Amino acid sequence: MADADHATQRPLANGRTRIDFQTEPARYRHWRLTIDGDVATLTMDVDEKAALFEGYDLKLNSYDLGVDIELADAIERLRFEQPQVRVVVLRSAKPRVFSAGANIRMLAGSSHAHKVNFCKFTNETRNGIEDLSEHSGLKSICAINGTAAGGGYELALATDHIMLVDDGSAAVSLPELPLLAVLPGTGGLTRVADKRKVRRDHADAFCTTEEGVKGKRARDWRLVDEVVPGSKFDEAIAARAKEFAAQSRRNGTGPGIKLAPLTRSFAPDSIGYGTVAVEFARAERIATITLRGPAAPPPAAAEAMVALGSNFWPLASARELDDAILHIRLNELDVAAIVFKSSGDPNEVLAYEGFLDANKDHWLAREIRLFWKRVLKRIDLTSRSLVALIEPGSCFAGTLAELAFASDRSYMLIGTRDGDNNPPATIALADVNFGAYPMSNGLTRLECRFLANPADVEAVKAERGKMLDAETAQQLGLVTFALDDIDWDDEVRVFLEERASFSPDALTGMEANLRFAGPETMESKIFARLTAWQNWIFQRPNAIGEEGALKRYGTGQKPVFDTKRV
Amino acid sequence: MADADHATQRPLANGRTRIDFQTEPARYRHWRLTIDGDVATLTMDVDEKAALFEGYDLKLNSYDLGVDIELADAIERLRFEQPQVRVVVLRSAKPRVFSAGANIRMLAGSSHAHKVNFCKFTNETRNGIEDLSEHSGLKSICAINGTAAGGGYELALATDHIMLVDDGSAAVSLPELPLLAVLPGTGGLTRVADKRKVRRDHADAFCTTEEGVKGKRARDWRLVDEVVPGSKFDEAIAARAKEFAAQSRRNGTGPGIKLAPLTRSFAPDSIGYGTVAVEFARAERIATITLRGPAAPPPAAAEAMVALGSNFWPLASARELDDAILHIRLNELDVAAIVFKSSGDPNEVLAYEGFLDANKDHWLAREIRLFWKRVLKRIDLTSRSLVALIEPGSCFAGTLAELAFASDRSYMLIGTRDGDNNPPATIALADVNFGAYPMSNGLTRLECRFLANPADVEAVKAERGKMLDAETAQQLGLVTFALDDIDWDDEVRVFLEERASFSPDALTGMEANLRFAGPETMESKIFARLTAWQNWIFQRPNAIGEEGALKRYGTGQKPVFDTKRV
């Protein structure tokens, strides 16, 4: 049928054929990362001619996904390459402008799918900034030297402390509603209401005032933390950075590790990484991601882990898996289901878990587990059907077992296959499955899975370290279906065919509701309540129709709205 | 601009010109309410020829909004007219069919706005069934004698106990996704995941299996509470009803009161009720709802309240306000803002609060407060801008003050107006503002308002019973803006004009995010996460396009989907 999108996606700039999530500081076009002792400064200086897509300029520190990919990269590098940094200050290099937010022409010329995926990634990046503060102790300060509009202010909202210059014109604003008939798409409404706890009538006034709020009112309404005269701005920032650094409990010492470029090879129907392989069955609309277990036992000591750096298996596999997921999300929109497979020795995987547990106070071990936490959350929020196929020769143990629990269903083969020397499939749990990897709702995947009966969590906890066969795993509730070799092929095929036959939209909606039983957090509210409403609005003619606000922005013509309230 | 809907709304049947939410048992076409001591039976027997709109028959106990209006009415009558009833059994009069759920042809021929409003009302009705159990002690049992599909099963999910006949064919199902490419729209996914805590992989399998699940598996997967052989079904239902009645803590004694038909007069631009008046300023797209305070002091004793019955002021005003809100929601789609006003003596309103507090253990006083709780929740969930104008002569005290706290903004006039004898505006708080009326997120409106600083709740609590003038109310954070007479007209006019100029969709999305800071509950998850995703899907061509599943259902043609996953 016809494309559901009202806009055709603009072509990528400079002849690019795919969106690449890999970058490094030497290649940044939009940010500068500078380090001075325990204080990092991340300066936004968007190159307006270096947009990701053709057809728009990134004026006034407005951004597109390309700008955010650099930001996300810089944050990761602070974690791994600069363990001594205790505070990061976000600033702008443009005079009197912090950031104009997401580029409007980019949005107006984006397909619905791109808009949704763009918002999802920028949300993940901002949640990552908050995670950096909460779990790594690396505090963040946003120094707003002028206009912080829309996504510009939303970036500020993700930091621990917002400083606004008081020069009679600098203001924070969320002008999306009055200007564009859409919502602030990167957590703005949720953070205003839930993080900064702005009173709802003040929030209402703020979010409907195109020019925003400045000075004392911005502070009184809790929109910023302090307002500073221009003449004292730099001094105040330096003082605040020093204070926050002193309060930080980040304990990284010694040099960081270098996040080396990923080894990747793209073929038409596959991507090869060092420890991860992706295969596309295009006719069936399936992407199979196979994770290979470690090729060698863990090192003897933390120093050796540091020496291995980004080649250390748990980190290498997390980075490669993350890249594969992002690639599928943004570049492979026709994939209906992601199949997770693994190969290797589950005992070796457990040995790595033991090593990371033994070194859990080492900054690098902690950062690796935090990275895996974020990759797993990214998988939870990936709008494709997820299935784990647990077969002979696989190693779904510890962290890798989380992939089965993150899946919508899992199938596990009983026994071995004829003519196959691989040992029967097992699942093995470790301490890491019981706390290290909370979902965005705050529960571990096993807590969420066994919400009906928390005793079931205790029952499987007692099985840590054991190699659980298919029938035991099914009995314990760890897998959906344990199948004989005779039934396997048909059952799995029918399931995947069925999945490809359903409406992709309905699956996205169903999965968003079934994956997150239990409590909600600010983060889950952003991805559920806010994002779902924004996706709805992104489909409405009042925003995206020919006479809608996004299309008419900048034309001098006013938008025409269907006045019916829904 | 062109109507945003892909479907034009069908005309109402039988020449009706508006959807009416008032009915009574003698006029029911679809339900029978029978009472036997402390057990009520509510039998679904949908008259297929009595649809609300033209163009479809309500076969197999499928339903439309008209059917649900009767159900909602029956539930209210159990509360007020049958205080001795302790358990209600939901049954079907159709052989081998409990209910086929929402009528598909009705959905396929409904405008987007009607679909959204239909789902909202049916959700409120089901939440009301749960509230009936939790807060009034009136337990509910659903006896499923055959097929309970989609909305039919969702109705069962709202009860305390689901019994399924075990006859080899009776099954529960949520076939919306495989059949229609939409979600179960009445809380099904949320109740499966969060209320019944069905394991997510089982939920995934259940919600993608058109034919549903029957017998032992339905119980093992927690989809029903018990499975009963056909020969013992009636006996088991009677036994279970007796058990639940025995456990009930409902303490209503004596006869109930009669919910008399509302006195209403409809004019082209107004509706008059006994204590409520609605005026439409159509050019400005404003509906003003004015509540009149009590005309007489409260009665001396509970018996007199019972004797007044539905004429008792707090109950009369709640019923009339509820009807006005529902009317605006469904019949007045162009209204951008609802303005709340009041007139009367705030001391009299407080006197009624005192009366209800003094009689809080009386079943009728409790039911009246519970009714107000639900009306206020309905207002919270009404997707129109809400504003309270607190003017001289008004009586925003106690329960009526909640209307100001439910509003997106409130404006309060300082002092008096020239040539106006009315006393200056006041706000007055009472105990009722501090617990009786939780929002769907579980917080009182004042707790939600003062989320940043719970001490502010204590500060205003200390002011209970005082007549707070505009400047004091603003200082305490109870109103948004206190304005002089000089500024009033312009400020209010500009605000309302601005509101009418914004995109209605963006306002709906913004308000859904700003109104509910703080925790989430199952109820708030239904209205936020689930509903927003459903609304999105209801806009997608895969569901509603010419080749979409809703349009092609029953034509013999398969739907054609845009395969891109968003």
Side-chain angles (χ1 to χ4, degrees):
Chain A
M1 79 179 303
D3 193 313
D5 288 320
H6 289 68
T8 307
Q9 182 61 46
R10 297 173 184 278
L12 287 161
N14 301 319
R16 289 188 195 93
T17 54
R18 58 182 166 76
I19 297 171
D20 192 345
F21 290 86
Q22 297 304 309
T23 186
E24 58 191 324
R27 291 160 56 204
Y28 290 177
R29 300 291 296 267
H30 309 297
W31 295 89
R32 282 195 303 277
L33 178 58
T34 53
I35 314 280
D36 180 9
D38 56 5
V39 176
T41 301
L42 198 43
T43 304
M44 191 175 197
D45 192 8
V46 174
D47 178 349
E48 64 179 63
K49 295 297 178 196
L52 182 60
F53 296 97
E54 288 180 4
Y56 57 89
D57 290 341
L58 294 171
K59 291 184 180 160
L60 298 173
N61 266 357
S62 64
Y63 63 87
D64 63 7
L65 181 59
V67 177
D68 226 65
I69 288 171
E70 291 185 5
L71 173 62
D73 183 77
I75 299 292
E76 293 306 329
R77 288 182 197 274
L78 284 176
R79 289 178 176 272
F80 287 98
E81 300 189 348
Q82 308 289 345
Q84 85 291 353
V85 167
R86 290 161 173 260
V87 64
V88 56
V89 179
L90 272 71
R91 304 196 65 161
S92 159
K94 312 282 189 208
R96 302 173 73 84
V97 172
F98 176 72
S99 164
N103 186 278
I104 298 170
R105 288 175 195 285
M106 176 277 295
L107 281 177
S110 289
S111 68
H112 183 66
H114 185 76
K115 281 198 278 288
V116 170
N117 274 309
F118 166 69
C119 290
K120 191 179 283 184
F121 183 81
T122 55
N123 270 313
E124 289 170 327
T125 306
R126 278 135 199 80
N127 292 343
I129 292 172
E130 289 176 333
D131 180 272
L132 186 65
S133 168
E134 188 178 350
H135 296 289
S136 296
L138 202 161
K139 301 294 164 187
S140 53
I141 293 171
C142 188
I144 300 177
N145 61 310
T147 304
Y153 176 54
E154 288 177 300
L155 178 57
L157 283 169
T159 66
D160 294 311
H161 189 80
I162 307 178
M163 304 173 72
L164 177 65
V165 76
D166 191 10
D167 62 359
S169 77
V172 297
S173 63
L174 292 176
E176 284 87 344
L177 185 142
L179 208 59
L180 304 170
V182 299
L183 303 184
T186 319
L189 299 181
T190 313
R191 286 202 177 82
V192 162
D194 279 89
K195 181 181 185 179
R196 300 197 64 93
K197 301 180 170 64
V198 174
R199 226 175 67 198
R200 70 177 264 202
D201 49 355
H202 292 157
D204 179 279
F206 173 60
C207 298
T208 54
T209 303
E210 197 176 313
E211 64 275 20
V213 172
K214 60 191 174 185
K216 183 172 174 302
R217 174 170 271 192
R219 196 191 53 209
D220 290 349
W221 283 11
R222 308 175 58 86
L223 299 166
V224 305
D225 294 291
E226 61 177 317
V227 176
V228 185
S231 60
K232 299 191 175 164
F233 201 46
D234 285 332
E235 183 188 329
I237 294 165
R240 217 59 76 230
K242 203 170 169 185
E243 278 170 34
F244 275 78
Q247 289 162 20
S248 164
R249 50 175 180 69
R250 199 172 194 218
N251 67 352
T253 50
I257 64 162
K258 172 82 186 149
L259 292 178
L262 297 184
T263 344
R264 289 182 302 183
S265 59
F266 285 90
D269 293 326
S270 67
I271 313 168
Y273 296 88
T275 71
V276 169
V278 185
E279 282 181 279
F280 298 97
R282 298 199 181 276
E284 295 78 19
R285 300 177 42 228
I286 299 166
T288 301
I289 300 182
T290 305
L291 290 95
R292 273 188 291 280
E303 294 68 35
M305 166 178 68
V306 175
L308 281 164
S310 59
N311 288 321
F312 182 55
W313 175 77
L315 179 55
S317 58
R319 290 179 72 211
E320 292 170 359
L321 176 59
D322 200 42
D323 189 69
I325 292 288
L326 288 169
H327 173 77
I328 293 169
R329 270 197 195 168
L330 271 287
N331 296 308
E332 295 281 355
L333 294 169
D334 266 325
V335 165
I338 297 175
V339 174
F340 291 110
K341 295 189 179 189
S342 66
S343 69
D345 181 349
N347 288 296
E348 285 292 344
V349 177
L350 291 187
Y352 273 82
E353 301 297 358
F355 175 85
L356 288 170
D357 288 340
N359 290 286
K360 69 182 162 48
D361 294 327
H362 190 279
W363 72 267
L364 181 54
R366 188 166 54 239
E367 286 299 341
I368 290 170
R369 282 269 167 86
L370 289 170
F371 195 120
W372 262 105
K373 178 182 75 175
R374 295 193 302 283
V375 177
L376 289 164
K377 281 185 180 183
R378 188 139 32 216
I379 291 170
D380 294 332
L381 290 165
T382 295
S383 60
R384 311 297 168 99
S385 294
L386 306 173
V387 55
L389 297 184
I390 306 168
E391 297 172 285
S394 64
C395 58
F396 285 101
T399 296
L400 298 193
E402 290 291 313
L403 294 171
F405 310 144
S407 291
D408 299 304
R409 294 197 207 172
S410 53
Y411 291 83
M412 190 163 178
L413 193 107
I414 300 169
T416 56
R417 284 184 171 126
D418 274 356
D420 177 358
N421 289 330
N422 279 308
T426 56
I427 276 194
L429 302 178
D431 283 343
V432 75
N433 302 112
F434 297 88
Y437 300 137
M439 301 167 63
S440 61
N441 65 4
L443 301 183
T444 66
R445 285 175 193 77
L446 287 173
E447 285 168 342
C448 199
R449 186 175 187 83
F450 296 127
L451 203 57
N453 189 6
D456 290 347
V457 179
E458 293 310 309
V460 296
K461 198 170 183 178
E463 306 293 320
R464 274 169 299 174
K466 293 184 193 162
M467 294 295 143
L468 306 169
D469 65 19
E471 280 153 317
T472 308
Q474 186 182 34
Q475 202 176 350
L476 288 166
L478 294 171
V479 299
T480 318
F481 300 112
L483 298 171
D484 286 324
D485 190 20
I486 296 169
D487 297 324
W488 179 270
D489 286 351
D490 275 354
E491 290 273 346
V492 171
R493 180 182 52 74
V494 166
F495 165 66
L496 290 169
E497 282 176 5
E498 191 180 72
R499 220 62 179 187
S501 78
F502 293 147
S503 161
D505 311 323
L507 285 170
T508 292
M510 179 189 80
E511 290 159 5
N513 281 280
L514 294 183
R515 287 179 184 169
F516 302 93
E520 297 269 357
T521 62
M522 188 182 72
E523 197 174 308
S524 72
K525 283 176 92 163
I526 288 172
F527 287 116
R529 184 183 281 270
L530 178 65
T531 298
W533 284 107
Q534 177 77 309
N535 290 0
W536 175 69
I537 290 163
F538 275 158
Q539 284 284 289
R540 299 282 288 166
N542 284 343
I544 56 160
E546 286 309 315
E547 298 177 316
L550 262 182
K551 278 293 164 64
R552 288 217 159 157
Y553 177 77
T555 64
Q557 282 188 294
K558 280 199 168 188
V560 181
F561 294 137
D562 176 351
T563 54
K564 287 204 297 297
R565 259 288 198 135
V566 177
Chain B
M1 79 179 301
D3 193 314
D5 288 321
H6 289 68
T8 307
Q9 182 61 45
R10 297 171 183 280
L12 287 160
N14 301 320
R16 289 188 193 92
T17 54
R18 58 182 166 77
I19 297 171
D20 192 345
F21 290 85
Q22 297 304 310
T23 187
E24 58 191 324
R27 291 160 56 205
Y28 290 176
R29 300 290 296 267
H30 309 297
W31 294 89
R32 283 196 302 278
L33 178 58
T34 54
I35 313 281
D36 181 9
D38 57 5
V39 177
T41 302
L42 198 42
T43 305
M44 191 175 196
D45 192 8
V46 174
D47 178 348
E48 65 179 63
K49 295 297 177 196
L52 181 61
F53 296 98
E54 289 180 2
Y56 57 90
D57 291 340
L58 293 171
K59 291 184 180 161
L60 298 173
N61 267 357
S62 65
Y63 64 86
D64 63 8
L65 181 59
V67 177
D68 226 65
I69 287 172
E70 291 186 6
L71 173 62
D73 183 77
I75 299 291
E76 292 306 329
R77 288 182 196 274
L78 284 175
R79 290 178 175 272
F80 286 99
E81 301 189 349
Q82 308 289 346
Q84 85 291 354
V85 166
R86 291 163 172 260
V87 63
V88 56
V89 179
L90 272 70
R91 304 196 65 162
S92 159
K94 312 283 189 209
R96 302 173 73 83
V97 172
F98 176 72
S99 164
N103 187 277
I104 297 171
R105 287 175 195 287
M106 176 279 294
L107 282 177
S110 289
S111 68
H112 183 65
H114 184 76
K115 282 198 278 287
V116 169
N117 273 309
F118 166 69
C119 290
K120 191 179 282 185
F121 183 81
T122 55
N123 270 314
E124 289 170 326
T125 305
R126 279 134 200 80
N127 291 343
I129 292 172
E130 289 175 334
D131 180 272
L132 187 65
S133 168
E134 188 178 349
H135 296 289
S136 296
L138 203 162
K139 301 295 165 187
S140 53
I141 293 171
C142 189
I144 300 177
N145 62 311
T147 304
Y153 177 53
E154 288 177 300
L155 178 56
L157 283 169
T159 65
D160 293 311
H161 189 78
I162 307 177
M163 303 173 72
L164 176 65
V165 76
D166 191 10
D167 63 359
S169 76
V172 297
S173 63
L174 292 176
E176 284 86 347
L177 185 142
L179 209 57
L180 305 170
V182 300
L183 303 185
T186 319
L189 299 181
T190 313
R191 286 201 176 82
V192 162
D194 279 89
K195 181 181 185 180
R196 301 197 63 92
K197 300 180 170 64
V198 174
R199 225 174 69 199
R200 71 177 262 204
D201 49 355
H202 291 155
D204 178 279
F206 173 60
C207 299
T208 54
T209 303
E210 196 177 314
E211 64 275 20
V213 172
K214 60 190 174 183
K216 183 172 174 301
R217 174 171 272 191
R219 197 191 53 210
D220 290 349
W221 283 11
R222 307 177 58 88
L223 298 166
V224 305
D225 293 291
E226 61 177 315
V227 176
V228 184
S231 59
K232 298 191 175 163
F233 200 46
D234 285 332
E235 184 189 327
I237 294 165
R240 217 61 74 229
K242 204 170 167 186
E243 278 170 34
F244 274 78
Q247 289 162 19
S248 163
R249 51 176 180 68
R250 199 171 194 217
N251 67 352
T253 51
I257 64 162
K258 172 80 186 149
L259 292 178
L262 297 184
T263 344
R264 290 181 301 183
S265 59
F266 285 89
D269 293 326
S270 66
I271 313 169
Y273 297 89
T275 70
V276 169
V278 186
E279 284 181 280
F280 297 97
R282 297 199 182 277
E284 294 79 18
R285 298 177 43 227
I286 299 167
T288 300
I289 300 181
T290 304
L291 289 94
R292 274 188 290 280
E303 293 69 36
M305 165 179 67
V306 174
L308 281 164
S310 59
N311 288 322
F312 182 55
W313 175 77
L315 180 55
S317 59
R319 289 180 74 211
E320 292 169 359
L321 176 59
D322 200 42
D323 189 68
I325 292 288
L326 287 169
H327 174 78
I328 293 169
R329 268 197 197 169
L330 271 288
N331 296 309
E332 295 281 354
L333 294 168
D334 265 325
V335 166
I338 296 176
V339 174
F340 292 110
K341 295 190 180 190
S342 66
S343 68
D345 181 348
N347 287 298
E348 285 292 345
V349 177
L350 291 188
Y352 273 82
E353 301 298 357
F355 176 85
L356 288 171
D357 287 342
N359 291 284
K360 69 183 163 50
D361 293 328
H362 190 279
W363 71 268
L364 180 54
R366 187 166 55 238
E367 286 299 342
I368 290 170
R369 284 269 167 86
L370 289 170
F371 194 121
W372 263 106
K373 178 182 75 175
R374 295 192 303 282
V375 177
L376 290 164
K377 281 185 182 185
R378 194 151 10 231
I379 291 170
D380 294 332
L381 290 165
T382 295
S383 59
R384 310 297 168 98
S385 294
L386 307 173
V387 56
L389 297 185
I390 306 169
E391 296 172 286
S394 64
C395 58
F396 285 101
T399 296
L400 298 192
E402 289 291 314
L403 294 171
F405 310 143
S407 291
D408 299 305
R409 294 197 208 174
S410 53
Y411 291 83
M412 190 162 178
L413 194 109
I414 301 169
T416 55
R417 284 184 171 124
D418 274 355
D420 177 358
N421 289 332
N422 279 307
T426 56
I427 276 195
L429 301 178
D431 282 343
V432 74
N433 303 111
F434 297 89
Y437 300 138
M439 302 167 63
S440 62
N441 65 4
L443 300 184
T444 67
R445 283 174 194 76
L446 288 173
E447 284 169 343
C448 198
R449 187 173 186 84
F450 297 127
L451 202 58
N453 189 7
D456 290 347
V457 179
E458 294 309 310
V460 296
K461 198 169 182 178
E463 306 293 321
R464 274 169 300 173
K466 294 186 194 161
M467 294 295 144
L468 307 168
D469 66 19
E471 279 154 318
T472 309
Q474 186 182 33
Q475 203 176 348
L476 287 166
L478 294 171
V479 298
T480 318
F481 299 112
L483 298 173
D484 285 326
D485 190 19
I486 297 170
D487 296 324
W488 180 269
D489 285 353
D490 275 353
E491 290 273 346
V492 170
R493 181 183 52 74
V494 166
F495 165 66
L496 289 169
E497 282 176 5
E498 190 180 73
R499 220 62 179 188
S501 77
F502 292 148
S503 161
D505 311 323
L507 285 170
T508 292
M510 181 189 78
E511 290 159 4
N513 281 281
L514 294 184
R515 286 180 185 170
F516 303 94
E520 297 269 357
T521 62
M522 189 181 72
E523 197 174 308
S524 73
K525 283 176 93 163
I526 288 172
F527 288 116
R529 185 185 280 270
L530 179 65
T531 298
W533 284 107
Q534 177 77 308
N535 290 1
W536 176 69
I537 290 164
F538 275 158
Q539 285 285 287
R540 299 281 288 166
N542 284 344
I544 56 159
E546 286 308 315
E547 297 178 315
L550 262 182
K551 278 292 164 64
R552 289 219 159 156
Y553 177 78
T555 64
Q557 282 188 292
K558 280 197 167 190
V560 180
F561 294 137
D562 176 351
T563 54
K564 286 203 297 294
R565 259 286 197 136
V566 177

